[in-house]
Amino acid sequence: MASNASHVLEAALEQMDDIIAGRTFCLCLSIGCPVYCADPPARVDPALKALQLTEALRAVLEGQRSEEEQEALRKQVSTDTANVIVKWLEREDEVNLHSSGNSESYQQRLSRLEGDKESLVLQVSVLTDQVEAQGAKISDLQSSLVEHQHKLESTEEMLQQELLHRTSLENQKLSLMGEVSYLKIKLADMEGKQSHGAERQHKAEGLIKELKILKDKVEHLEDQKIQYEKKLKATKHVYPESLLPYRLRRTQSGGLQAADPDAGQFTRGGLRATAGPRLTRTPESYDSSRDMNIPFSQWTKGQVCGWLEDYGLGQYLNLTRQWVENGQTLLSATPQDFEKEMGMKNPLHRKKLQLALNAFTTKVIEKSSELDHIWVTRWLDDIGLPQYKDQFHEARVDGRMIQYLTVNDLLTLKVTSQLHHLSIKCAIHVLHANKFNPNCLRRRPGEEVSCPSPSEVVQWSNHRVMEWLRAVDLAEYAPNLRGSGVHGGLIILEPRFSSETLALLLNIPPQKTLLRRHLATAFSALVGTQATQEKREYGNATGHVPLTTTAKVKPKKLGFTQFSHLRKRKPDESADYICPIDSGTLTVNGISRLPSAALRGLSPNLDRQPESNGDLLDGLQRRRG
């Protein structure tokens, strides 16, 4: 132990020497033994280390209990070290003075710190005032923020109302554009008729001039006849009537008739004086307003050509004049003859002509024949399919053709969407139920009850359905129904058309479940409880195929095994009518379905007599044969 104490004392004295010499050091303790380092850390305070070593020396000295041990420890200290310690101890007064100076510096530091404290307190008070001021500003900003939020909400409401008003104006604009397009088409047809009328008028003026010349000649002949009679009386010679060159007399109708049926005929300028009851016109001078009670087979070439022009097939007049002799020519012709002799390549034009000729043959007057092709373009607007107006107008599809449209006819008209086929089918069914009344569809809200019946909804047009959407707070989605083919007839009569189908057409996102639920509730209230139940049962039936907006209709293809049955098939069995005229049922995917009890009375077979339908079908079979 004495050896260890001597080592500690020696190390302490050496470190004190280093401190006096102005050197720095560090002490590393390893198993209680001091180890010196030549490169101590730069930031160690030498005075602090000296004080620590002095305290360590004191502890060691106090640990030596006997004087002998202390004496032995002192002897081990070198002379130089002892001298340094003695000198250091002799400088006690200077150390005390220095410590007093440090105490004074500590006092100054304390006073300085107190001054800093007061300045900090002052700064804290100033900062507190600033924080309070900032808090007041924040409260003011929050109140102004609430006020601006209220203004923003009111502005959004005004914007929503403006959007609704703008949507209404756009719908009115589209409706007016439809009216304008309808008037333009009507104007074009009227201009065409006017040009033909001007041509006819020009021809009529020429005929009038020729008629005057002929009248003058007839008067001259009458004068000559009177002179011959006077000469005969004067000479009292009697000549047989057969020797006269001709005799003319005026009939009760005002025309001229030859007394001798074998008298010579003369023709001048397209007019012909014959032994008939009156002067007749050439075929080119046909007037469509003349009496049509004459059988079509006895019509002249002029009458046939004038009728074709009025019927919307005036582009075939040139070839018709070269081929047709009378009405019987058309009645006995086949569709191949129409294509070959008249250049009628469009199959729908041939069908239009066949239906009209069959009506002449069967003498069945149909209400649909009163609807021309101009009305059909307006009808397409009403059922929400204005995109097909050009195809229907080019094909001259009229009311009678609408009644007998087939799937292939619609494909020829470039209508390939399954939904649009169903839309046209239901619209034709509504026309049947209303006896082809041209004004049966309701385009605007009228004096209706809050809950209209299905028999009223079935007559709604596409625009009326959009008005209903605005009434049930779905105005922002109403414009999506343009060109969709959605109308009241499709909503009520098609069993696969549900609220989900309507949501797809309106482009309501699937994640908006509340909005779709609101639409489903409004849809159920519109179609009624019974129709809703029928649509649900139809959707839950086995083999049900949901109605989609992208499904296409493809023409039916005949398999190889079916060719052997073609000869046995009747001509009308191949006709796949969109809306059959001989049944009150609705056909969906090849399955016949009776209308619901709420729609009894909307069946087409109530609108016509079975005898007329049978005659009409027989006539179609004869025409196709």
Side-chain angles (χ1 to χ4, degrees):
M1 176 177 264
S3 177
N4 291 335
S6 62
H7 285 300
V8 172
L9 180 61
E10 184 179 0
L13 291 174
E14 288 180 357
Q15 290 181 9
M16 291 178 66
D17 292 339
D18 292 336
I19 292 171
I20 294 171
R23 294 183 301 173
T24 60
F25 62 91
C26 68
L27 179 62
C28 298
L29 299 177
S30 176
I31 319 175
C33 298
V35 179
Y36 296 93
C37 301
D39 298 324
R43 295 184 180 181
V44 178
D45 189 359
L48 180 60
K49 291 295 183 180
L51 291 175
Q52 292 176 353
L53 293 173
T54 304
E55 291 293 330
L57 179 60
R58 181 182 63 77
V60 172
L61 292 176
E62 289 178 353
Q64 304 297 327
R65 297 179 181 178
S66 62
E67 294 180 358
E68 295 178 357
E69 294 178 354
Q70 294 178 359
E71 186 65 23
L73 181 62
R74 186 171 59 251
K75 288 180 180 181
Q76 293 180 3
V77 178
S78 64
T79 303
D80 296 335
T81 304
N83 292 332
V84 171
I85 293 174
V86 170
K87 290 180 181 180
W88 183 66
L89 293 175
E90 288 177 353
R91 294 171 59 188
E92 181 179 0
D93 295 338
E94 296 179 0
V95 173
N96 293 333
L97 180 61
H98 180 69
S99 62
S100 64
N102 287 339
S103 63
E104 291 177 359
S105 63
Y106 292 154
Q107 188 67 29
Q108 292 176 357
R109 184 180 297 177
L110 180 61
S111 63
R112 187 176 68 254
L113 292 175
E114 289 179 353
D116 294 340
K117 178 182 178 181
E118 292 177 355
S119 64
L120 289 175
V121 170
L122 180 59
Q123 291 179 4
V124 168
S125 63
V126 173
L127 290 176
T128 302
D129 296 338
Q130 292 179 356
V131 168
E132 292 177 355
Q134 293 294 331
K137 289 183 179 180
I138 290 174
S139 62
D140 293 339
L141 289 175
Q142 288 179 348
S143 61
S144 63
L145 179 61
V146 172
E147 182 180 358
H148 282 83
Q149 286 180 350
H150 289 303
K151 291 182 178 178
L152 180 60
E153 291 176 357
S154 62
T155 304
E156 288 179 351
E157 292 179 358
M158 294 175 62
L159 179 60
Q160 188 69 19
Q161 294 177 359
E162 184 66 23
L163 288 175
L164 295 178
H165 181 63
R166 182 176 179 181
T167 303
S168 177
L169 291 178
E170 289 179 354
N171 292 331
Q172 294 178 6
K173 178 182 177 182
L174 290 174
S175 178
L176 292 176
M177 289 176 64
E179 295 284 348
V180 170
S181 63
Y182 168 75
L183 292 176
K184 285 182 178 179
I185 295 174
K186 195 72 176 178
L187 180 60
D189 289 345
M190 293 298 294
E191 288 178 351
K193 291 182 179 180
Q194 184 179 3
S195 61
H196 291 299
E199 183 180 357
R200 291 178 182 177
Q201 184 178 3
H202 180 69
K203 292 180 179 179
E205 291 177 354
L207 292 175
I208 291 174
K209 292 180 180 179
E210 294 176 354
L211 183 60
K212 290 181 178 179
I213 296 174
L214 180 60
K215 185 178 179 180
D216 294 338
K217 292 196 174 211
V218 170
E219 291 178 353
H220 178 67
L221 291 174
E222 288 181 349
D223 294 338
Q224 288 183 354
K225 183 189 73 169
I226 294 172
Q227 292 178 3
Y228 281 126
E229 290 178 351
K230 289 180 179 179
K231 289 180 179 180
L232 289 174
K233 290 180 181 180
T235 56
K236 295 181 180 181
H237 290 286
V238 180
Y239 293 92
E241 293 182 355
S242 59
L243 297 179
L244 293 177
Y246 48 79
R247 293 185 60 193
L248 295 177
R249 65 182 179 87
R250 191 174 300 275
T251 62
Q252 295 180 356
S253 60
L256 295 178
Q257 184 178 13
D260 186 0
D262 297 329
Q265 300 180 355
F266 59 91
T267 303
R268 181 179 180 83
L271 294 176
R272 185 175 55 182
T274 65
R278 62 181 179 270
L279 295 176
T280 59
R281 298 183 179 181
T282 58
E284 291 77 7
S285 61
Y286 168 73
D287 186 2
S288 61
S289 62
R290 66 181 299 139
D291 189 6
M292 305 297 289
N293 293 326
I294 303 175
F296 186 81
S297 59
Q298 300 179 10
W299 283 18
T300 63
K301 180 186 296 188
Q303 290 175 320
V304 172
C305 293
W307 170 76
L308 282 176
E309 184 177 1
D310 291 341
Y311 199 50
L313 301 175
Q315 63 266 42
Y316 303 109
L317 288 182
N318 293 332
L319 294 178
T320 302
R321 289 192 181 97
Q322 300 175 9
W323 173 54
V324 173
E325 294 295 335
N326 48 36
Q328 185 61 36
T329 306
L330 292 181
L331 290 177
S332 59
T334 62
Q336 292 77 13
D337 294 333
F338 297 151
E339 182 176 2
K340 178 181 178 181
E341 303 295 341
M342 298 176 62
M344 194 173 290
K345 305 296 183 181
N346 194 323
L348 294 177
H349 290 177
R350 296 197 295 269
K351 182 173 184 177
K352 179 183 177 75
L353 181 58
Q354 284 179 285
L355 291 173
L357 294 176
N358 184 74
F360 282 121
T361 303
T362 59
K363 298 182 180 180
V364 175
I365 300 177
E366 297 178 301
K367 189 68 175 178
S368 60
S369 62
E370 300 177 3
L371 308 177
D372 60 2
H373 63 279
I374 303 298
W375 177 88
V376 171
T377 58
R378 178 66 179 273
W379 176 72
L380 290 173
D381 278 326
D382 290 335
I383 65 175
L385 297 174
Q387 61 268 35
Y388 301 113
K389 290 166 64 174
D390 292 340
Q391 293 90 317
F392 275 70
H393 183 266
E394 182 180 355
R396 294 297 191 270
V397 178
D398 55 9
R400 184 187 283 120
M401 293 182 67
I402 286 291
Q403 184 175 350
Y404 297 102
L405 275 179
T406 64
V407 174
N408 288 332
D409 291 340
L410 288 183
L411 294 177
T412 304
L413 293 168
K414 300 180 181 179
V415 184
T416 59
S417 172
Q418 183 184 25
L419 180 63
H420 294 173
H421 274 242
L422 295 175
S423 174
I424 294 175
K425 180 200 71 173
C426 295
I428 296 174
H429 191 93
V430 174
L431 287 177
H432 277 297
N434 291 274
K435 299 181 180 179
F436 283 87
N437 181 4
N439 300 317
C440 62
L441 296 182
R442 300 182 181 181
R443 303 181 178 92
R444 296 288 187 273
E447 297 179 357
E448 301 173 350
V449 294
S450 58
C451 297
S453 63
S455 60
E456 294 176 343
V457 177
V458 79
Q459 295 180 347
W460 282 7
S461 66
N462 177 259
H463 185 78
R464 181 64 184 89
V465 175
M466 289 194 288
E467 293 292 338
W468 169 75
L469 288 173
R470 296 186 184 92
V472 295
D473 299 329
L474 292 173
E476 62 270 25
Y477 297 100
N480 294 331
L481 284 188
R482 298 191 187 102
S484 64
V486 176
H487 54 89
L490 179 66
I491 292 175
I492 299 297
L493 299 177
E494 176 52 44
R496 290 194 298 167
F497 192 89
S498 61
S499 60
E500 294 295 328
T501 310
L502 184 58
L504 289 176
L505 292 172
L506 293 176
N507 292 330
I508 299 178
Q511 60 269 21
K512 293 189 177 181
T513 56
L514 293 178
L515 196 60
R516 288 201 169 205
R517 189 179 305 170
H518 169 68
L519 176 63
T521 303
F523 185 84
S524 299
L526 180 68
V527 302
T529 306
Q530 185 172 356
T532 302
Q533 182 65 24
E534 290 180 358
K535 290 177 182 290
R536 187 179 296 111
E537 292 176 355
Y538 193 88
N540 296 331
T542 305
H544 168 70
V545 179
L547 181 61
T548 62
T549 58
T550 57
K552 301 294 183 182
V553 176
K554 296 181 179 179
K556 295 182 179 180
K557 296 182 179 180
L558 296 177
F560 180 77
T561 58
Q562 296 177 349
F563 281 100
S564 60
H565 302 287
L566 289 180
R567 296 181 179 178
K568 300 179 181 179
R569 181 176 298 177
K570 294 181 180 180
D572 62 330
E573 290 182 359
S574 61
D576 186 11
Y577 290 118
I578 291 296
C579 186
I581 62 176
D582 56 348
S583 174
T585 60
L586 293 176
T587 303
V588 181
N589 293 335
I591 301 175
S592 297
R593 170 183 174 269
L594 288 173
S596 63
L599 298 176
R600 301 294 165 81
L602 295 180
S603 178
N605 62 349
L606 298 180
D607 303 331
R608 309 154 83 143
Q609 298 179 359
E611 293 79 8
S612 299
N613 285 335
D615 295 340
L616 191 58
L617 290 175
D618 293 339
L620 286 175
Q621 293 177 9
R622 289 195 299 270
R623 293 301 305 160
R624 292 193 180 114

